[in-house]
Amino acid sequence: MKISKEEVKHIAMLSRLELNEEEIGVYQEQLSRILDYIEKLNEIDTTLVEPTSHIIELKNVFRDDNVKGSISRDEVLKNAPDQTDKFFRVPKIIE
């Protein structure tokens, strides 16, 4: 399938690309080859191939939730740059 220079210019305009005449020729050839390859792929009989979203079979691996102890409040607040009693102190962002 051959792509015209006008089609390449239109694609470039939609993509907001500025192409010179040499680049238009290069992209014209590349896009034509891509479409030729797709046409070749369309010739393959895929009637017995089941549609898939992934090439390999995927499955989720779940693990059991384990309850663990957390860090104490004093230990957490020890790393805070600014604190007050039991809380982090942050800059005021609402007027």
Side-chain angles (χ1 to χ4, degrees), residues 47-58:
T47 55
L48 299 177
V49 178
E50 201 173 312
T52 60
S53 60
H54 297 284
I55 294 174
I56 58 174
E57 186 175 330
L58 298 176

Side-chain angles (χ1 to χ4, degrees), residues 21-73:
E21 286 301 316
E22 182 182 331
E23 292 171 323
I24 289 172
V26 169
Y27 286 119
Q28 181 182 7
E29 176 62 31
Q30 289 177 352
L31 290 170
S32 293
R33 285 196 319 230
I34 290 169
L35 292 177
D36 288 341
Y37 186 72
I38 291 171
E39 285 298 317
K40 199 172 241 183
L41 290 176
N42 285 334
E43 296 172 6
I44 299 173
D45 179 24
T46 58
T47 55
L48 299 177
V49 178
E50 201 173 312
T52 60
S53 60
H54 297 284
I55 294 174
I56 58 174
E57 186 175 330
L58 298 176
K59 64 179 182 177
N60 287 331
V61 179
F62 295 104
R63 64 173 173 77
D64 293 333
D65 287 336
N66 297 321
V67 178
K68 296 180 180 177
S70 61
I71 301 172
S72 70
R73 181 180 298 147

Side-chain angles (χ1 to χ4, degrees), residues 9-23:
K9 289 178 184 179
H10 181 69
I11 293 168
M13 186 267 309
L14 292 173
S15 304
R16 292 181 172 46
L17 297 174
E18 291 183 25
L19 303 177
N20 60 36
E21 286 301 316
E22 182 182 331
E23 292 171 323

